[in-house]
């Protein structure tokens, strides 16, 4: 079933190119590891297991990490009501609805497909937003599900996870030389694997962040067009960003690992150089885009402008 969220050709092209480039990088990475470690079975089994776990269990992993739980309509009738209305307007399956008992005001979507998705909000967000602002945030998250970019980000991040695991595995295994090998050979293989893993991680890191920044702008556009109220989403983004900035950085460190999934990144008051590698565009960029959409919708709705 095709949802009524407007298709975004730019997002589709970027997702395709990112997955293609990461796929080539993945093949080269696995080939290099097999050549160095002389054990293709172990390399392929570990890589396949991690990819499968990320694809099939990403929603459960994210919910568990962020202390979220699935809630029923009886527990949160207003929240379910907004999701019901938006899904009806967008003509898409209703995802599971979850709530995380966290003071940090935020929301995220996860899942491998529109039929296996979860939209989660924190209790901090529910306490701060007005109904129309909540609608804008939920429309943003539902657009991630409809455009399937949540699944793409999940799969794309797999390569970086594998590279990180290889580096850790190097310290705790004997794959880099048995007792009969010379120490110099062991050190050389160890260094080569570490170097290749670092390069792979860096490339995948940059590709994923570039895609993530665009997909957030795409979700803002789709949400504003679906609800017809860009100003409500702009108000929510301004409020959430300001409130998160007041939370001590040390309290945000755990949440920062999931920034690519949040509607607003978990940055403290002084993000510093981390902004350069952010998963999200700046608040100013997002507000400027929403202001343009608001103008366009106003002009389209004005008498005498149609046709």
């Amino acid at each position: 079933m095709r949802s009524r969220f407007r298709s975004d050709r730019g997002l589709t092209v970027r997702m395709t190119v990112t997955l293609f480039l990461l796929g080539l990088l993945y093949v080269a990475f696995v080939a290099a590891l097999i050549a160095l470690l002389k054990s293709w079975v172990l390399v392929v089994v570990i890589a396949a297991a991690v990819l499968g776990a990320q694809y099939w269990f990403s929603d459960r992993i994210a919910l568990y990490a962020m202390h979220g739980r699935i809630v029923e309509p009886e527990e949160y009738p207003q929240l379910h009501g907004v999701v019901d209305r938006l899904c009806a307007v967008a003509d898409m399956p209703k995802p599971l609805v979850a709530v995380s008992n966290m003071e940090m005001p935020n929301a995220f979507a996860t899942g491998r497909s529109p039929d296996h998705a979860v939209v989660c909000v924190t209790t901090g967000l529910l306490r701060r937003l007005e109904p129309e602002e909540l609608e804008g945030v939920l429309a943003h998250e539902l657009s991630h599900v409809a455009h399937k970019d949540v699944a793409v980000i999940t799969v794309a991040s797999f390569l970086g996870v594998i590279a990180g695991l290889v580096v850790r595995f190097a310290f705790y295994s004997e794959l880099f030389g048995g007792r009969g090998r010379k120490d110099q050979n062991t050190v050389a293989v160890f260094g080569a694997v570490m170097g290749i893993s670092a390069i792979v991680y860096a490339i995948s890191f940059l590709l994923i962040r570039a895609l993530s920044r665009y997909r957030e702008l795409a979700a803002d556009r789709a949400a504003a067009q679906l609800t017809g109220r860009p100003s409500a989403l702009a108000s929510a983004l301004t409020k959430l960003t300001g409130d998160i900035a007041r939370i001590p950085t040390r309290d945000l460190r755990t949440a920062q690992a999931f920034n690519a999934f949040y509607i607003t990144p978990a940055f403290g008051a002084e993000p510093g150089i981390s902004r350069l590698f952010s998963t999200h565009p700046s608040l100013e960029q997002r507000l400027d885009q929403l202001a343009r959409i608001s103008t366009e919708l106003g002009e389209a709705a004005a008498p005498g402008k149609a046709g």
Side-chain angles (χ1 to χ4, degrees):
M1 180 183 296
R2 180 182 294 274
S3 78
R4 293 198 180 102
F5 276 107
R6 291 190 183 181
S7 61
D8 192 309
R9 187 174 182 180
L11 178 60
T12 301
V13 169
R14 283 169 172 80
M15 289 193 297
T16 303
V17 171
T18 299
L19 286 179
F20 176 74
L21 292 176
L22 287 173
L24 291 179
L25 188 62
Y26 169 65
V27 172
F29 182 48
V30 170
L33 290 182
I34 291 173
L36 288 169
L37 303 180
K38 311 298 183 183
S39 179
W40 70 269
V41 175
L42 182 61
V43 172
V44 172
V45 167
I46 292 176
V50 174
L51 176 59
Q54 279 203 283
Y55 182 76
W56 290 100
F57 305 112
S58 61
D59 52 348
R60 300 180 191 179
I61 294 171
L63 281 180
Y64 177 79
M66 297 312 300
H67 310 291
R69 66 180 183 88
I70 305 299
V71 296
E72 300 299 327
E74 295 76 17
E75 297 178 83
Y76 288 86
Q78 181 184 8
L79 176 60
H80 271 273
V82 175
V83 175
D84 285 335
R85 289 195 300 274
L86 288 172
C87 288
V89 172
D91 194 17
M92 64 180 289
K94 181 183 178 181
L96 294 174
V97 178
V99 172
S100 171
N101 187 24
M102 295 179 63
E103 183 58 28
M104 180 188 69
N106 227 316
F108 66 90
T110 184
R112 63 184 185 272
S113 71
D115 291 318
H116 300 86
V118 179
V119 171
C120 181
V121 298
T122 66
T123 52
L125 179 141
L126 292 175
R127 284 195 296 270
R128 287 170 170 84
L129 297 189
E130 298 298 326
E132 63 274 11
E133 295 171 336
L134 177 62
E135 181 184 63
V137 168
L138 290 173
H140 173 104
E141 297 304 332
L142 288 173
S143 76
H144 283 315
V145 175
H147 290 149
K148 301 180 181 179
D149 55 87
V150 170
V152 171
I153 283 291
T154 298
V155 173
S157 63
F158 144 78
L159 190 56
V161 171
I162 279 289
L165 286 177
V166 168
V167 173
R168 292 185 182 184
F169 189 67
F171 288 102
Y172 301 106
S173 74
E174 297 180 359
L175 284 176
F176 301 96
R179 296 179 179 177
R181 291 190 179 182
K182 295 181 180 180
D183 290 341
Q184 288 184 345
N185 186 43
T186 300
V187 171
V189 175
F190 176 82
V193 171
M194 292 281 284
I196 292 172
S197 298
I199 293 171
V200 168
Y201 180 82
I203 295 174
S204 61
F205 178 92
L206 294 174
L207 287 173
I208 291 170
R209 261 113 188 115
L211 173 61
S212 182
R213 288 192 292 272
Y214 185 88
R215 85 184 190 108
E216 292 302 326
L217 289 173
D220 286 347
R221 284 195 299 272
Q225 291 161 349
L226 183 74
T227 63
R229 290 189 284 192
S231 59
L233 179 56
S235 175
L237 292 174
T238 302
K239 188 179 293 186
L240 296 179
T241 302
D243 287 346
I244 289 175
R246 287 191 287 270
I247 299 175
T249 302
R250 65 178 180 274
D251 296 333
L252 296 175
R253 286 173 183 166
T254 301
Q256 286 173 353
F258 292 88
N259 270 349
F261 293 93
Y262 289 136
I263 186 171
T264 304
F267 282 127
E270 298 180 0
I273 195 170
S274 59
R275 282 290 191 194
L276 298 176
F277 304 104
S278 177
T279 53
H280 291 61
S282 67
L283 177 62
E284 290 73 20
Q285 286 178 280
R286 302 176 78 173
L287 295 182
D288 286 346
Q289 175 181 249
L290 291 171
R292 291 194 299 270
I293 295 174
S294 182
T295 300
E296 292 169 3
L297 291 177
E299 290 176 347
K305 295 288 184 179

PDB file of all heavy atoms in Angstrom, residues 1 11 21 28 41 72 95 101 105 129 133 161 171 177 184 196 201 229 280-281 290:
ATOM      1  N   MET A   1       0.843  -1.197   0.000  1.00  0.00           N
ATOM      2  CA  MET A   1       0.000   0.000   0.000  1.00  0.00           C
ATOM      3  C   MET A   1       0.879   1.249   0.000  1.00  0.00           C
ATOM      4  O   MET A   1       1.802   1.375   0.793  1.00  0.00           O
ATOM      5  CB  MET A   1      -0.901   0.000   1.245  1.00  0.00           C
ATOM      6  CG  MET A   1      -1.829   1.210   1.335  1.00  0.00           C
ATOM      7  SD  MET A   1      -2.788   1.197   2.853  1.00  0.00           S
ATOM      8  CE  MET A   1      -3.752  -0.284   2.623  1.00  0.00           C
ATOM      9  N   LEU A  11      15.334  11.975  -1.555  1.00  0.00           N
ATOM     10  CA  LEU A  11      15.607  11.043  -0.471  1.00  0.00           C
ATOM     11  C   LEU A  11      15.830   9.638  -1.017  1.00  0.00           C
ATOM     12  O   LEU A  11      16.754   8.933  -0.592  1.00  0.00           O
ATOM     13  CB  LEU A  11      14.442  11.041   0.523  1.00  0.00           C
ATOM     14  CG  LEU A  11      14.545  10.067   1.700  1.00  0.00           C
ATOM     15  CD1 LEU A  11      15.771  10.371   2.546  1.00  0.00           C
ATOM     16  CD2 LEU A  11      13.281  10.116   2.543  1.00  0.00           C
ATOM     17  N   LEU A  21      27.042   2.422  -2.144  1.00  0.00           N
ATOM     18  CA  LEU A  21      28.422   2.700  -1.749  1.00  0.00           C
ATOM     19  C   LEU A  21      28.820   1.888  -0.516  1.00  0.00           C
ATOM     20  O   LEU A  21      29.926   1.342  -0.437  1.00  0.00           O
ATOM     21  CB  LEU A  21      28.613   4.191  -1.479  1.00  0.00           C
ATOM     22  CG  LEU A  21      28.504   5.113  -2.701  1.00  0.00           C
ATOM     23  CD1 LEU A  21      28.612   6.568  -2.284  1.00  0.00           C
ATOM     24  CD2 LEU A  21      29.566   4.771  -3.732  1.00  0.00           C
ATOM     25  N   ALA A  28      34.353  -5.066   0.058  1.00  0.00           N
ATOM     26  CA  ALA A  28      35.806  -4.878   0.140  1.00  0.00           C
ATOM     27  C   ALA A  28      36.313  -5.155   1.553  1.00  0.00           C
ATOM     28  O   ALA A  28      37.388  -5.750   1.742  1.00  0.00           O
ATOM     29  CB  ALA A  28      36.166  -3.457  -0.277  1.00  0.00           C
ATOM     30  N   VAL A  41      34.955 -18.330   6.867  1.00  0.00           N
ATOM     31  CA  VAL A  41      33.718 -18.801   7.505  1.00  0.00           C
ATOM     32  C   VAL A  41      33.378 -17.934   8.709  1.00  0.00           C
ATOM     33  O   VAL A  41      32.241 -17.465   8.864  1.00  0.00           O
ATOM     34  CB  VAL A  41      33.849 -20.280   7.927  1.00  0.00           C
ATOM     35  CG1 VAL A  41      32.608 -20.712   8.697  1.00  0.00           C
ATOM     36  CG2 VAL A  41      34.054 -21.161   6.702  1.00  0.00           C
ATOM     37  N   GLU A  72      -0.936   0.719  25.334  1.00  0.00           N
ATOM     38  CA  GLU A  72      -2.254   0.503  24.741  1.00  0.00           C
ATOM     39  C   GLU A  72      -3.061   1.804  24.717  1.00  0.00           C
ATOM     40  O   GLU A  72      -2.752   2.743  25.460  1.00  0.00           O
ATOM     41  CB  GLU A  72      -3.013  -0.570  25.528  1.00  0.00           C
ATOM     42  CG  GLU A  72      -2.317  -1.926  25.562  1.00  0.00           C
ATOM     43  CD  GLU A  72      -2.141  -2.517  24.182  1.00  0.00           C
ATOM     44  OE1 GLU A  72      -3.020  -2.278  23.317  1.00  0.00           O
ATOM     45  OE2 GLU A  72      -1.125  -3.202  23.960  1.00  0.00           O
ATOM     46  N   PRO A  95       1.591   1.939  13.224  1.00  0.00           N
ATOM     47  CA  PRO A  95       2.698   1.260  13.906  1.00  0.00           C
ATOM     48  C   PRO A  95       2.357   1.034  15.376  1.00  0.00           C
ATOM     49  O   PRO A  95       1.363   1.557  15.885  1.00  0.00           O
ATOM     50  CB  PRO A  95       3.848   2.265  13.765  1.00  0.00           C
ATOM     51  CG  PRO A  95       3.154   3.594  13.758  1.00  0.00           C
ATOM     52  CD  PRO A  95       1.860   3.365  13.018  1.00  0.00           C
ATOM     53  N   ASN A 101       9.942   6.418  29.551  1.00  0.00           N
ATOM     54  CA  ASN A 101       9.867   7.218  30.774  1.00  0.00           C
ATOM     55  C   ASN A 101      11.177   7.978  30.974  1.00  0.00           C
ATOM     56  O   ASN A 101      11.981   7.662  31.842  1.00  0.00           O
ATOM     57  CB  ASN A 101       9.580   6.314  31.975  1.00  0.00           C
ATOM     58  CG  ASN A 101       9.317   7.117  33.231  1.00  0.00           C
ATOM     59  OD1 ASN A 101       8.919   8.282  33.163  1.00  0.00           O
ATOM     60  ND2 ASN A 101       9.544   6.513  34.382  1.00  0.00           N
ATOM     61  N   PRO A 105      12.927  15.474  26.341  1.00  0.00           N
ATOM     62  CA  PRO A 105      11.813  15.509  25.389  1.00  0.00           C
ATOM     63  C   PRO A 105      12.270  15.110  23.990  1.00  0.00           C
ATOM     64  O   PRO A 105      13.044  15.816  23.358  1.00  0.00           O
ATOM     65  CB  PRO A 105      11.374  16.977  25.431  1.00  0.00           C
ATOM     66  CG  PRO A 105      12.616  17.729  25.781  1.00  0.00           C
ATOM     67  CD  PRO A 105      13.407  16.828  26.690  1.00  0.00           C
ATOM     68  N   LEU A 129       4.593  19.437  25.028  1.00  0.00           N
ATOM     69  CA  LEU A 129       4.014  19.857  23.751  1.00  0.00           C
ATOM     70  C   LEU A 129       2.508  20.026  23.808  1.00  0.00           C
ATOM     71  O   LEU A 129       1.796  19.276  24.481  1.00  0.00           O
ATOM     72  CB  LEU A 129       4.372  18.842  22.656  1.00  0.00           C
ATOM     73  CG  LEU A 129       5.844  18.666  22.313  1.00  0.00           C
ATOM     74  CD1 LEU A 129       5.985  17.798  21.074  1.00  0.00           C
ATOM     75  CD2 LEU A 129       6.544  20.005  22.119  1.00  0.00           C
ATOM     76  N   GLU A 133       1.366  20.580  18.291  1.00  0.00           N
ATOM     77  CA  GLU A 133       2.806  20.338  18.208  1.00  0.00           C
ATOM     78  C   GLU A 133       3.101  18.839  18.230  1.00  0.00           C
ATOM     79  O   GLU A 133       3.965  18.352  17.491  1.00  0.00           O
ATOM     80  CB  GLU A 133       3.523  21.038  19.360  1.00  0.00           C
ATOM     81  CG  GLU A 133       3.435  22.555  19.311  1.00  0.00           C
ATOM     82  CD  GLU A 133       3.969  23.223  20.562  1.00  0.00           C
ATOM     83  OE1 GLU A 133       3.980  22.566  21.628  1.00  0.00           O
ATOM     84  OE2 GLU A 133       4.368  24.398  20.494  1.00  0.00           O
ATOM     85  N   VAL A 161      29.104  -0.718  12.772  1.00  0.00           N
ATOM     86  CA  VAL A 161      29.058  -1.601  13.945  1.00  0.00           C
ATOM     87  C   VAL A 161      30.028  -2.759  13.776  1.00  0.00           C
ATOM     88  O   VAL A 161      30.774  -3.123  14.696  1.00  0.00           O
ATOM     89  CB  VAL A 161      27.623  -2.137  14.158  1.00  0.00           C
ATOM     90  CG1 VAL A 161      27.607  -3.214  15.241  1.00  0.00           C
ATOM     91  CG2 VAL A 161      26.698  -0.997  14.538  1.00  0.00           C
ATOM     92  N   PHE A 171      41.415  -7.579  20.204  1.00  0.00           N
ATOM     93  CA  PHE A 171      42.081  -7.577  21.501  1.00  0.00           C
ATOM     94  C   PHE A 171      41.835  -8.872  22.293  1.00  0.00           C
ATOM     95  O   PHE A 171      42.581  -9.184  23.223  1.00  0.00           O
ATOM     96  CB  PHE A 171      41.588  -6.392  22.338  1.00  0.00           C
ATOM     97  CG  PHE A 171      42.102  -5.070  21.856  1.00  0.00           C
ATOM     98  CD1 PHE A 171      41.287  -4.231  21.112  1.00  0.00           C
ATOM     99  CD2 PHE A 171      43.401  -4.665  22.120  1.00  0.00           C
ATOM    100  CE1 PHE A 171      41.750  -3.009  20.662  1.00  0.00           C
ATOM    101  CE2 PHE A 171      43.866  -3.439  21.671  1.00  0.00           C
ATOM    102  CZ  PHE A 171      43.043  -2.603  20.939  1.00  0.00           C
ATOM    103  N   GLY A 177      47.240 -14.779  14.971  1.00  0.00           N
ATOM    104  CA  GLY A 177      48.496 -15.521  15.037  1.00  0.00           C
ATOM    105  C   GLY A 177      48.454 -16.576  16.111  1.00  0.00           C
ATOM    106  O   GLY A 177      48.149 -16.286  17.265  1.00  0.00           O
ATOM    107  N   GLN A 184      56.196 -10.594  14.966  1.00  0.00           N
ATOM    108  CA  GLN A 184      56.134  -9.535  13.971  1.00  0.00           C
ATOM    109  C   GLN A 184      54.974  -9.748  13.009  1.00  0.00           C
ATOM    110  O   GLN A 184      54.295  -8.801  12.613  1.00  0.00           O
ATOM    111  CB  GLN A 184      57.452  -9.483  13.189  1.00  0.00           C
ATOM    112  CG  GLN A 184      58.621  -8.914  14.009  1.00  0.00           C
ATOM    113  CD  GLN A 184      59.881  -8.794  13.182  1.00  0.00           C
ATOM    114  OE1 GLN A 184      59.986  -9.378  12.095  1.00  0.00           O
ATOM    115  NE2 GLN A 184      60.843  -8.042  13.693  1.00  0.00           N
ATOM    116  N   ILE A 196      42.277  -0.978   8.510  1.00  0.00           N
ATOM    117  CA  ILE A 196      41.154  -1.144   7.581  1.00  0.00           C
ATOM    118  C   ILE A 196      39.827  -0.867   8.284  1.00  0.00           C
ATOM    119  O   ILE A 196      38.938  -0.198   7.744  1.00  0.00           O
ATOM    120  CB  ILE A 196      41.159  -2.556   6.982  1.00  0.00           C
ATOM    121  CG1 ILE A 196      42.371  -2.728   6.050  1.00  0.00           C
ATOM    122  CG2 ILE A 196      39.873  -2.828   6.202  1.00  0.00           C
ATOM    123  CD1 ILE A 196      42.574  -4.142   5.563  1.00  0.00           C
ATOM    124  N   TYR A 201      35.070   2.444   9.155  1.00  0.00           N
ATOM    125  CA  TYR A 201      34.197   3.134  10.108  1.00  0.00           C
ATOM    126  C   TYR A 201      34.073   4.612   9.740  1.00  0.00           C
ATOM    127  O   TYR A 201      32.974   5.177   9.763  1.00  0.00           O
ATOM    128  CB  TYR A 201      34.741   2.992  11.523  1.00  0.00           C
ATOM    129  CG  TYR A 201      33.879   3.687  12.557  1.00  0.00           C
ATOM    130  CD1 TYR A 201      32.734   3.069  13.060  1.00  0.00           C
ATOM    131  CD2 TYR A 201      34.181   4.976  12.998  1.00  0.00           C
ATOM    132  CE1 TYR A 201      31.929   3.711  13.987  1.00  0.00           C
ATOM    133  CE2 TYR A 201      33.377   5.627  13.913  1.00  0.00           C
ATOM    134  CZ  TYR A 201      32.258   4.984  14.413  1.00  0.00           C
ATOM    135  OH  TYR A 201      31.464   5.630  15.316  1.00  0.00           O
ATOM    136  N   ARG A 229       0.200  22.259   8.723  1.00  0.00           N
ATOM    137  CA  ARG A 229       0.542  23.229   9.773  1.00  0.00           C
ATOM    138  C   ARG A 229       2.054  23.217  10.043  1.00  0.00           C
ATOM    139  O   ARG A 229       2.496  22.702  11.071  1.00  0.00           O
ATOM    140  CB  ARG A 229      -0.232  22.923  11.052  1.00  0.00           C
ATOM    141  CG  ARG A 229      -1.716  23.219  10.927  1.00  0.00           C
ATOM    142  CD  ARG A 229      -2.431  23.129  12.238  1.00  0.00           C
ATOM    143  NE  ARG A 229      -2.639  21.750  12.645  1.00  0.00           N
ATOM    144  CZ  ARG A 229      -3.449  21.380  13.640  1.00  0.00           C
ATOM    145  NH1 ARG A 229      -4.099  22.289  14.337  1.00  0.00           N
ATOM    146  NH2 ARG A 229      -3.596  20.108  13.947  1.00  0.00           N
ATOM    147  N   HIS A 280      21.753  15.648  12.280  1.00  0.00           N
ATOM    148  CA  HIS A 280      20.634  16.523  11.957  1.00  0.00           C
ATOM    149  C   HIS A 280      21.117  17.854  11.381  1.00  0.00           C
ATOM    150  O   HIS A 280      22.202  18.325  11.735  1.00  0.00           O
ATOM    151  CB  HIS A 280      19.795  16.825  13.206  1.00  0.00           C
ATOM    152  CG  HIS A 280      19.026  15.656  13.728  1.00  0.00           C
ATOM    153  ND1 HIS A 280      19.636  14.495  14.158  1.00  0.00           N
ATOM    154  CD2 HIS A 280      17.685  15.458  13.898  1.00  0.00           C
ATOM    155  CE1 HIS A 280      18.711  13.647  14.567  1.00  0.00           C
ATOM    156  NE2 HIS A 280      17.532  14.202  14.414  1.00  0.00           N
ATOM    157  N   PRO A 281      20.318  18.466  10.513  1.00  0.00           N
ATOM    158  CA  PRO A 281      20.622  19.837  10.095  1.00  0.00           C
ATOM    159  C   PRO A 281      20.413  20.774  11.279  1.00  0.00           C
ATOM    160  O   PRO A 281      19.801  20.395  12.279  1.00  0.00           O
ATOM    161  CB  PRO A 281      19.607  20.096   8.977  1.00  0.00           C
ATOM    162  CG  PRO A 281      18.462  19.181   9.292  1.00  0.00           C
ATOM    163  CD  PRO A 281      19.070  17.957   9.910  1.00  0.00           C
ATOM    164  N   LEU A 290      10.595  25.176   6.932  1.00  0.00           N
ATOM    165  CA  LEU A 290       9.197  25.173   7.349  1.00  0.00           C
ATOM    166  C   LEU A 290       8.532  26.518   7.075  1.00  0.00           C
ATOM    167  O   LEU A 290       7.342  26.573   6.729  1.00  0.00           O
ATOM    168  CB  LEU A 290       9.089  24.812   8.834  1.00  0.00           C
ATOM    169  CG  LEU A 290       9.439  23.365   9.172  1.00  0.00           C
ATOM    170  CD1 LEU A 290       9.518  23.161  10.681  1.00  0.00           C
ATOM    171  CD2 LEU A 290       8.418  22.399   8.565  1.00  0.00           C
TER     172      LEU A 290
END
